């Protein structure tokens, strides 16, 4: 495949993943990851992210799954320090992610994109939306401006669903004008459920691919939509969804580093998908 100018080789991207701590030792702590596995095993909805697992997942099962999918240590006695993501697994998943994008572009599928990490990942998804739109895909934006009540650690909060550069996010009412770059951090599957319901009610095309993270991926996958996305070591729900066949591709990486650190990944994925401008 011809490489576009400024696109990293696989070796250079691997080096970037490690230098930016997107993979290798990451900022997510082992304690955070193990806590998430225990809560998922207890079916805590905050960690399920909208997924209703078909199989029984104990904390040990999840640790083995995450070791396989992400490269974290499978030793339950390892309980402290930084968690670790194998960059080879990240690269392999990015390649699979790119294949799904290429297929969507080739078939000109309707696509829905959404993020619970707008401060970090909006630019990554916005670039995908732009490239897919240029390839002839319809980028959907259903239920824009609707209110969604989401339970948070601070109690029930009302958010507005908004779209920025083709990417859905939620924001607190009145915090920023519609279309602004910032939004709220959210794990909830309620926004994607509301968006999908609104699209169905409108009679418009339903998405044949959902791209995102957190509840956007698990919520869509649970409802039978093809979904691909990014996930950290403390987000086992996406990897369980992949293992159970309801999520197509999950890319293991730190999902909360500086937003500009994701730009090389964007160029790599679009190049592999033959979508570079």
């Amino acid at each position: 495949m011809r490489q576009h100018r400024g696109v990293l080789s696989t070796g250079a991207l691997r080096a970037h993943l490690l230098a930016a701590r997107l993979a290798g030792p990451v900022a997510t702590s082992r304690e955070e990851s193990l806590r998430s596995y225990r809560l998922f095993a207890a079916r805590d909805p905050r960690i399920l992210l909208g997924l209703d697992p078909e199989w029984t997942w104990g904390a040990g099962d999840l640790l083995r799954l995450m070791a396989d999918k992400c490269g974290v240590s499978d030793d339950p006695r390892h309980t402290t320090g930084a968690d670790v993501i194998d960059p080879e697994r990240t690269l392999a998943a990015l390649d699979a992610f790119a294949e799904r994008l290429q297929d969507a572009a080739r078939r000109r599928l309707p696509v829905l994109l959404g993020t619970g990490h707008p401060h970090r990942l909006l630019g990554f998804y916005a670039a995908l939306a732009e490239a897919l739109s240029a390839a002839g895909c319809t980028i959907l934006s259903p239920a824009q401006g609707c209110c969604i009540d989401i339970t948070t650690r601070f109690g029930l909060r009302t958010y507005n669903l908004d779209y920025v550069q083709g990417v859905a996010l939620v924001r607190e009412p009145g915090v920023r004008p519609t279309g602004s770059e910032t939004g709220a951090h959210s794990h909830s599957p309620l926004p994607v459920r509301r968006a999908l319901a609104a699209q169905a009610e409108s009679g418009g095309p339903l998405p044949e691919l959902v791209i995102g993270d957190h509840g956007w991926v698990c919520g869509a996958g649970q409802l039978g939509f093809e979904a691909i996305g990014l996930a950290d070591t403390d987000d086992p729900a996406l990897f369980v969804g992949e293992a159970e066949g309801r999520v197509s591709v999950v890319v293991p990486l730190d999902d909360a580093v500086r937003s500009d650190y994701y730009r090389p990944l964007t160029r790599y994925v679009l190049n592999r998908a033959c979508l570079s401008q």
Side-chain angles (χ1 to χ4, degrees):
M1 181 185 299
R2 181 171 65 89
Q3 288 235 334
H4 293 263
R5 185 177 179 183
V7 176
L8 295 180
S9 66
T10 300
L13 182 58
R14 182 187 299 106
H16 172 74
L17 291 172
L18 294 170
R21 296 189 67 186
L22 285 156
V26 294
T28 307
S29 71
R30 182 71 168 179
E31 294 93 331
E32 290 177 90
S33 296
L34 293 177
R35 177 178 179 272
S36 290
Y37 307 160
R38 290 193 297 270
L39 290 173
F40 188 98
R43 300 283 178 125
D44 188 313
R46 296 172 298 174
I47 307 299
L48 293 176
L49 308 182
L51 192 73
D52 182 15
E54 295 180 1
W55 308 342
T56 299
W57 293 90
D61 302 317
L62 292 163
L63 183 58
R64 288 186 288 273
L65 174 73
M66 297 300 283
D68 178 58
K69 295 290 188 180
C70 299
V72 305
S73 170
D74 63 359
D75 185 353
R77 296 169 296 181
H78 177 200
T79 58
T80 61
D83 225 332
V84 175
I85 295 174
D86 176 10
E88 298 303 325
R89 287 172 169 83
T90 304
L91 289 166
L94 284 170
D95 289 345
F97 188 98
E99 288 179 10
R100 298 289 178 167
L101 293 180
Q102 184 176 25
D103 179 67
R106 178 180 58 80
R107 297 164 58 197
R108 297 186 176 183
L109 302 180
V111 179
L112 176 65
L113 301 97
T115 181
H117 266 299
H119 298 83
R120 310 296 186 182
L121 292 168
L122 179 60
F124 175 80
Y125 297 122
L128 303 187
E130 181 182 17
L132 289 168
S133 177
C137 296
T138 300
I139 305 302
L140 303 175
S141 55
Q144 180 160 8
C146 80
C147 296
I148 304 172
D149 293 328
I150 298 176
T151 300
T152 73
R153 59 181 176 173
F154 305 109
L156 193 66
R157 294 287 180 88
T158 298
Y159 294 88
N160 290 338
L161 180 62
D162 195 13
Y163 290 82
V164 178
Q165 300 177 65
V167 183
L169 50 81
V170 296
R171 65 175 84 255
E172 294 184 30
V175 173
R176 292 286 189 277
T178 297
S180 69
E181 296 293 323
T182 58
H185 179 226
S186 172
H187 286 216
S188 176
L190 296 180
V192 74
R193 291 175 185 167
R194 179 64 61 85
L196 292 169
Q199 187 67 11
E201 290 167 6
S202 75
L206 291 172
E208 294 189 49
L209 182 65
V210 177
I211 304 170
D213 47 60
H214 291 169
W216 285 93
V217 172
C218 289
Q222 180 64 37
L223 293 174
F225 293 87
E226 181 172 12
I228 64 176
L230 315 177
D232 210 331
T233 60
D234 60 348
D235 289 327
L238 283 85
F239 297 99
V240 169
E242 187 179 35
E244 292 190 348
R246 274 168 290 169
V247 175
S248 293
V249 178
V250 186
V251 180
L253 49 69
D254 190 320
D255 58 9
V257 303
R258 282 174 35 177
S259 58
D260 56 312
Y261 287 172
Y262 298 99
R263 289 176 190 159
L265 279 69
T266 305
R267 296 197 300 271
Y268 179 85
V269 163
L270 291 181
N271 188 63
R272 297 285 293 185
C274 300
L275 292 172
S276 294
Q277 300 298 310

